[in-house]
Amino acid sequence: MGFPKNFLWGGASAANQYEGAWNEDGKGPSIFDASTAGSVSQTRVYHDHIVEGQYYPNHNATDFYHHYKEDIAYLAEMGFKVFRLSIAWSRIFPHGDDEEPNEAGLRFYDNVFDECIKYGIEPLVTILHYETPLHLANEYNGWYSRKLIDFYYRFCEVIFERYKNKVKYWLTFNEINCIAIGNPYMAGACRVKDGLSVNQVTFQAAHHQFLASAKAVKLAHDKYPDFRMGMMLGGLFFYPNTCNPVDMLRFQEMNYQQFYFCDLQCRGYYNNHAKALLKKKGVSLQVEPGDDEILRNGTVDFISFSYYMTINASGEERPELKLAGSAIASPKNPYLEATDWGMSIDPQGLRYMLNELYDRYQKPLFIVENGLGAVDELTEDGKVHDNYRIDYLKRHIEVMREAVEEDGVDLMGYTSWGCIDCISAGTGEMKKRYGFVYVDRDDLGNGTMKRTRKDSFYWYKHVIETNGEEL
């Protein structure tokens, strides 16, 4: 049986990590434009303004803005059915709260989508991918303010109407649960201040994002019936660290914290586990009349998620979720290898999560990020031999096929992360590469931006040609 004939094979990117041109053609700065480079073990530092003389890797990224025709031609050569990308909010509304959109920004995405359509590639658009306009962070404390719901809704009204004949698949927020991994600024553009707790800020901001997502979905369902609206979960999936019952209970607790975000967007209400989680974390949500109805009427059509690793949950240590560079700090799983950036390599965990999510929600699933971040070497003859990446992807696609064939999971598609090399979200590094196409750029921003096909480029092309039958 294998994958369905209409399976959406492709790759994924994000404007803040890939696009560059951070201040061209009327674009305003996003929070990532004021974020420094980190390292393997250190996350980035977020400034509240652009500091003169400071290196910000997102400013140029890998320059999709000026290479989009070339890059989309590479995707077409591989046979992509879908290309996931995001629209930079501050390219359309430079401050985020502007009354009128920036026409030059709208025109850029018109050109990008037209280029995709020329090759028969479906755009899959993330509306907000860690790139809240910097002005909204500074003026309103980001998503902690309820005002951002209306600003986001205006953004959606403009892009839905503009691209209604070019884009069918939409994701409202990237990895919406990642606001709760110790840094609400990256996903929520909000800082903990005024004597508030990190949990109060985090979950209030998340409530506002739930409402914004629901309003966007309702708008799409009412005015654009051909749209398919999805949510996106950051794949923080857990195992109990041991068979000790306290580890089992901690594992269950941590999984419920991730399902909290799916439940709100798929079911449209705060269930018993959600209410218990908020009580345990000392959170008192500020809810307005009508919020419950908004959530009920704005549930998504499908669930998308990223998958890079599984995490061990320990009831003895009970660590809070937090980033350590690109990985999540947790007890090491002795049965799994890890990448150079500390992410466990666990193909079987992907099958586990496909079944877990599909059984729980009975909505179509879409894997929109997966891949191996590794140091790729360009040889003297201009080649990149990345067999390690081919092996990683092959093992994950094999278990995807098993989940579809043997378990009956409804899987819409698969977009490997960073299909053209881009900078890391967690660390801002360039050396942690995921793509099928190598970009000549280093961690200090040096390089020609020349593109080179890797060995994995030709391998993935054959995977798509055979609809995943030959790996």
Side-chain angles (χ1 to χ4, degrees), residues 329-353:
S330 71
K332 179 177 173 58
N333 189 328
Y335 299 99
L336 301 176
E337 298 175 2
T339 72
D340 292 338
W341 277 264
M343 296 181 174
S344 63
I345 301 174
D346 184 11
Q348 292 297 328
L350 177 55
R351 184 175 180 180
Y352 154 61
M353 280 321 304

Side-chain angles (χ1 to χ4, degrees), residues 198-436:
V198 65
N199 286 330
Q200 183 65 38
V201 170
T202 292
F203 287 92
Q204 188 65 52
H207 178 67
H208 295 153
Q209 291 187 345
F210 293 143
L211 292 168
S213 173
K215 291 186 72 171
V217 171
K218 179 72 162 55
L219 171 65
H221 286 168
D222 287 348
K223 291 190 66 176
Y224 310 100
D226 290 337
F227 284 9
R228 297 285 305 279
M229 302 299 296
M231 67 155 291
M232 198 231 170
L233 182 74
L236 305 180
F237 303 131
F238 295 86
Y239 296 139
N241 193 44
T242 71
C243 55
N244 186 330
V246 298
D247 286 354
M248 185 64 194
L249 288 172
R250 179 62 172 169
F251 147 78
Q252 187 178 56
E253 176 188 359
M254 298 309 292
N255 270 346
Y256 279 147
Q257 181 166 313
Q258 307 319 307
F259 293 141
Y260 172 96
F261 293 85
C262 288
D263 288 347
L264 264 294
Q265 294 189 277
C266 294
R267 295 174 174 168
Y269 62 91
Y270 287 89
N271 63 21
N272 61 307
H273 293 298
K275 292 174 182 176
L277 176 69
L278 294 173
K279 181 178 179 180
K280 186 178 297 184
K281 291 186 175 291
V283 174
S284 177
L285 286 183
Q286 300 301 308
V287 178
E288 293 191 0
D291 283 3
D292 290 348
E293 183 179 3
I294 291 171
L295 293 173
R296 280 197 308 272
N297 292 333
T299 56
V300 295
D301 303 315
F302 66 94
I303 301 168
S304 73
F305 65 98
S306 59
Y307 183 82
Y308 297 103
M309 58 187 163
T310 47
I311 307 164
N312 280 18
S314 169
E316 299 290 345
E317 299 176 27
R318 297 188 62 80
E320 289 298 319
L321 284 179
K322 63 178 181 178
L323 278 171
S326 294
I328 302 293
S330 71
K332 179 177 173 58
N333 189 328
Y335 299 99
L336 301 176
E337 298 175 2
T339 72
D340 292 338
W341 277 264
M343 296 181 174
S344 63
I345 301 174
D346 184 11
Q348 292 297 328
L350 177 55
R351 184 175 180 180
Y352 154 61
M353 280 321 304
L354 285 166
N355 278 281
E356 192 77 9
L357 287 170
Y358 189 61
D359 183 62
R360 186 177 179 90
Y361 298 106
Q362 294 292 300
K363 287 181 181 283
L365 304 180
F366 202 143
I367 302 166
V368 293
E369 289 187 30
N370 171 243
L372 177 66
V375 178
D376 294 337
E377 298 291 342
L378 190 65
T379 61
E380 290 185 4
D381 60 349
K383 307 287 187 181
V384 178
H385 302 301
D386 57 341
N387 289 333
Y388 41 86
R389 179 168 295 109
I390 293 171
D391 177 68
Y392 177 98
L393 295 173
K394 177 181 178 181
R395 291 162 62 194
H396 284 77
I397 293 172
E398 283 174 344
V399 300
M400 284 164 42
R401 189 166 59 198
E402 290 168 359
V404 171
E405 277 188 339
E406 300 177 25
D407 307 332
V409 170
D410 183 358
L411 185 61
M412 297 168 57
Y414 173 81
T415 57
S416 177
W417 173 248
C419 44
I420 311 285
D421 282 346
C422 61
I423 61 171
S424 166
T427 66
E429 294 172 290
M430 191 65 221
K431 65 183 177 183
K432 186 177 72 166
R433 299 172 183 270
Y434 285 89
F436 304 114

Side-chain angles (χ1 to χ4, degrees), residues 419-459:
C419 44
I420 311 285
D421 282 346
C422 61
I423 61 171
S424 166
T427 66
E429 294 172 290
M430 191 65 221
K431 65 183 177 183
K432 186 177 72 166
R433 299 172 183 270
Y434 285 89
F436 304 114
V437 176
Y438 182 93
V439 179
D440 179 29
R441 186 174 186 237
D442 66 17
D443 282 348
L444 300 178
N446 302 311
T448 64
M449 297 289 187
K450 179 183 176 183
R451 272 68 167 150
T452 301
R453 298 171 186 83
K454 305 177 189 179
D455 287 356
S456 58
F457 178 101
Y458 303 101
W459 171 82

Side-chain angles (χ1 to χ4, degrees), residues 130 173-179 187 232-235 306 308 369:
Y130 295 162
F173 286 84
N174 177 69
E175 295 183 326
I176 191 168
N177 56 314
C178 287
I179 196 172
M232 198 231 170
L233 182 74
S306 59
Y308 297 103
E369 289 187 30

Side-chain angles (χ1 to χ4, degrees), residues 33-36 47 49-51 54-60 441:
D33 291 326
S35 175
T36 66
H47 295 151
H49 64 285
I50 307 298
V51 178
Q54 174 69 53
Y55 173 58
Y56 296 107
N58 296 67
H59 283 192
N60 295 314
R441 186 174 186 237

Side-chain angles (χ1 to χ4, degrees), residues 81-269:
K81 311 299 182 188
V82 64
F83 175 39
R84 180 185 172 217
L85 69 161
S86 65
I87 293 178
W89 188 348
S90 61
R91 197 174 291 286
I92 309 303
F93 289 96
H95 299 91
D97 59 356
D98 314 75
E99 290 294 329
E100 297 296 329
N102 171 32
E103 175 60 28
L106 290 167
R107 192 162 53 247
F108 168 69
Y109 293 107
D110 268 322
N111 294 337
V112 168
F113 298 144
D114 287 345
E115 201 70 14
C116 290
I117 291 165
K118 180 174 83 175
Y119 292 109
I121 299 172
E122 288 270 11
L124 166 62
V125 172
T126 313
I127 298 170
L128 184 56
H129 191 129
Y130 295 162
E131 49 207 343
T132 301
L134 186 61
H135 172 75
L136 298 185
N138 293 335
E139 184 69 20
Y140 303 96
N141 199 20
W143 282 95
Y144 185 67
S145 169
R146 193 178 176 99
K147 291 182 179 179
L148 264 72
I149 300 171
D150 289 339
F151 300 148
Y152 177 91
Y153 188 77
R154 182 188 302 162
F155 176 40
C156 290
E157 285 182 309
V158 168
I159 61 176
F160 285 0
E161 182 62 23
R162 179 76 172 224
Y163 308 125
K164 62 186 177 185
N165 297 319
K166 300 181 180 183
V167 179
K168 175 181 177 181
Y169 298 98
W170 301 84
L171 307 178
T172 54
F173 286 84
N174 177 69
E175 295 183 326
I176 191 168
N177 56 314
C178 287
I179 196 172
I181 57 172
N183 179 9
Y185 194 79
M186 181 174 77
C190 47
R191 299 189 187 276
V192 180
K193 51 188 179 181
D194 301 328
L196 296 170
S197 70
V198 65
N199 286 330
Q200 183 65 38
V201 170
T202 292
F203 287 92
Q204 188 65 52
H207 178 67
H208 295 153
Q209 291 187 345
F210 293 143
L211 292 168
S213 173
K215 291 186 72 171
V217 171
K218 179 72 162 55
L219 171 65
H221 286 168
D222 287 348
K223 291 190 66 176
Y224 310 100
D226 290 337
F227 284 9
R228 297 285 305 279
M229 302 299 296
M231 67 155 291
M232 198 231 170
L233 182 74
L236 305 180
F237 303 131
F238 295 86
Y239 296 139
N241 193 44
T242 71
C243 55
N244 186 330
V246 298
D247 286 354
M248 185 64 194
L249 288 172
R250 179 62 172 169
F251 147 78
Q252 187 178 56
E253 176 188 359
M254 298 309 292
N255 270 346
Y256 279 147
Q257 181 166 313
Q258 307 319 307
F259 293 141
Y260 172 96
F261 293 85
C262 288
D263 288 347
L264 264 294
Q265 294 189 277
C266 294
R267 295 174 174 168
Y269 62 91

